[in-house]
Amino acid sequence: MKQVYNFNAGPAGLPGEVMHQAQEELLDLQGTGLSVLEISHRSKEYEQINDETQQLLKELLHIPSGYEVMFVQGGASMQFAMVPINFLPAGRVASYIHSGTWSGKAIAEARKMGDTAIAASSEADHFTKVPDLHGINLHPETAYVHLTSNETIAGTQYHSFADTGEVPLIADMSSDILSRPVDVSNFAFIYAGAQKNLGPSGVTVVIAERELLSRIPAHIPDIMNYRIHANSGSLYNTPPVFAVYIVNLVLKWIRNNGGAKGMEQRNRLKADLLYSTIDQSGGFYSGLAHKDSRSLMNATFRVMNDELELQFLQEAEQNGFVGLKGHRDAGHMRASLYNAVTYEQCKALADFMVDFQQRFG
């Protein structure tokens, strides 16, 4: 097979071990004679996968007992709407931290549902860093505070979080969940599309404090009601069976490779390698994000001029590096370093960058 280095921002690469296991089991899941693509979501085989996958998340994230874990659909984009539908009652205000494109999309959806306030923003800095969360002033009628833990487009990430006291803190962790340890008890609600660190697209993980779920009004349509999904064990409607199955395999791979701490150690090594290559280039490469806000998941950078940038992308593609073109909102380059990306892949990219600079710098 052609050597390919997958740095796509999502859907992202999956661990090789997971891909091989899925291939082996595709036609016969655990001796059933059926493919996971065709088993009933009401079968004991799928119920075991569903329950085990929830338990793996609880184990790996050390989720406290007062929380529910569920699987829903629609990606983070659906949660942008579902969060205010469920948790923004009339007369209250949703407070958002605006850190980039994805938090902006969440804000736009919330404004359709009710009163919304911007508690902090880094728009004045062109979203090259995360907003300062120390001493943020919340509207007195704030129903919840929402933030995006990692902005894939800008390449910025929170390395610590605000204490919002009695006000529920809600986080979109789609692009960095289980890339590092996180104290779930600091949050009332976490959601994450699976297609970066947990599996394929099609399933979204939700972690919700039961007390928060108890506040959801009864008039919300069942399919949009988080409490209904929690009470039905994520089986209210037909779930994305194959996607949950792959998440199950990925979580076992994470557990076998040191859990969240092990992932953080791997991810720091990868990020340090690429950022040091950028910083030691004498300006040939330059990072797009402020150093104190740099993401471990998405390293964004530019080449010294547009002509060389185009040449860089062409040569990178010819050498098997996939997904390095930056998002249209930011341009330039982006290397996504999710859990399944190996150090060896990052070393190959760093070596290519050094060689390219030696030839054109």
Side-chain angles (χ1 to χ4, degrees), residues 37-201:
L37 295 170
E38 59 186 355
I39 62 171
S40 169
H41 67 291
R42 301 296 182 186
S43 67
K44 67 179 187 300
E45 289 81 13
Y46 180 70
E47 287 189 4
Q48 179 183 350
I49 291 170
N50 183 64
D51 294 346
E52 184 181 52
T53 308
Q54 292 181 27
Q55 188 56 45
L56 283 164
L57 279 163
K58 292 176 181 178
E59 172 190 331
L60 290 168
L61 286 167
H62 303 289
I63 298 174
S65 60
Y67 288 72
E68 295 283 354
V69 174
M70 64 195 93
F71 305 124
V72 298
Q73 299 177 56
S77 294
M78 182 172 284
Q79 314 321 306
F80 295 163
M82 283 183 68
V83 165
I85 286 173
N86 281 262
F87 305 126
L88 180 55
R92 302 294 297 279
V93 175
S95 291
Y96 279 72
I97 310 298
H98 193 10
S99 56
T101 299
W102 295 110
S103 62
K105 290 179 181 293
I107 291 165
E109 290 296 275
R111 283 175 171 160
K112 298 173 185 177
M113 301 297 119
D115 291 335
T116 305
I118 305 301
S121 174
S122 55
E123 187 172 11
D125 297 297
H126 305 288
F127 302 119
T128 56
K129 62 180 181 180
V130 294
D132 185 1
L133 298 183
H134 297 291
I136 56 173
N137 293 316
L138 297 179
H139 190 285
E141 294 300 322
T142 294
Y144 63 83
V145 177
H146 179 286
L147 61 79
T148 303
S149 59
N150 183 80
E151 287 280 0
T152 61
I153 293 172
T156 61
Q157 183 180 35
Y158 279 102
H159 301 297
S160 62
F161 299 99
D163 180 1
T164 55
E166 297 299 314
V167 179
L169 180 58
I170 294 176
D172 173 5
M173 292 190 181
S174 293
S175 52
D176 63 353
I177 191 168
L178 271 173
S179 67
R180 56 180 176 171
V182 169
D183 187 350
V184 172
S185 67
N186 289 334
F187 301 86
F189 192 91
I190 294 169
Y191 61 92
Q195 65 271 18
K196 317 283 190 180
N197 278 322
L198 299 181
S201 60

Side-chain angles (χ1 to χ4, degrees), residues 123-335:
E123 187 172 11
D125 297 297
H126 305 288
F127 302 119
T128 56
K129 62 180 181 180
V130 294
D132 185 1
L133 298 183
H134 297 291
I136 56 173
N137 293 316
L138 297 179
H139 190 285
E141 294 300 322
T142 294
Y144 63 83
V145 177
H146 179 286
L147 61 79
T148 303
S149 59
N150 183 80
E151 287 280 0
T152 61
I153 293 172
T156 61
Q157 183 180 35
Y158 279 102
H159 301 297
S160 62
F161 299 99
D163 180 1
T164 55
E166 297 299 314
V167 179
L169 180 58
I170 294 176
D172 173 5
M173 292 190 181
S174 293
S175 52
D176 63 353
I177 191 168
L178 271 173
S179 67
R180 56 180 176 171
V182 169
D183 187 350
V184 172
S185 67
N186 289 334
F187 301 86
F189 192 91
I190 294 169
Y191 61 92
Q195 65 271 18
K196 317 283 190 180
N197 278 322
L198 299 181
S201 60
V203 62
T204 303
V205 169
V206 170
I207 302 163
E209 197 172 26
R210 289 197 191 99
E211 196 279 328
L212 184 65
L213 295 178
S214 71
R215 305 181 197 177
I216 298 173
H219 69 268
I220 294 174
D222 287 356
I223 193 64
M224 301 292 286
N225 189 319
Y226 287 118
R227 187 172 61 243
I228 295 295
H229 287 285
N231 290 344
S232 63
S234 300
L235 296 172
Y236 171 73
N237 63 324
T238 305
V241 171
F242 184 72
V244 175
Y245 160 74
I246 297 295
V247 171
N248 180 283
L249 300 185
V250 172
L251 293 177
K252 289 175 179 175
W253 175 83
I254 292 174
R255 183 183 61 185
N256 294 338
N257 285 274
K261 287 184 179 179
M263 294 299 105
E264 181 179 37
Q265 291 171 355
R266 290 162 52 101
N267 292 330
R268 286 196 182 280
L269 287 173
K270 295 182 299 186
D272 287 348
L273 174 63
L274 280 189
Y275 286 129
S276 64
T277 302
I278 293 166
D279 294 340
Q280 295 171 15
S281 70
F284 187 84
Y285 303 108
S286 55
L288 302 184
H290 282 227
K291 288 186 178 182
D292 58 357
S293 293
R294 280 176 167 175
S295 169
L296 297 182
M297 296 286 92
N298 310 98
T300 54
F301 62 97
R302 60 168 59 89
V303 187
M304 63 184 300
N305 63 55
D306 292 343
E307 183 179 349
L308 281 177
E309 222 167 60
L310 180 60
Q311 180 73 18
F312 180 94
L313 281 172
Q314 291 174 342
E315 289 200 18
E317 185 174 346
Q318 292 167 3
N319 283 275
F321 297 100
V322 175
L324 291 178
K325 186 176 182 179
H327 189 276
R328 60 184 177 274
D329 285 357
H332 304 295
M333 308 292 156
R334 172 177 58 178

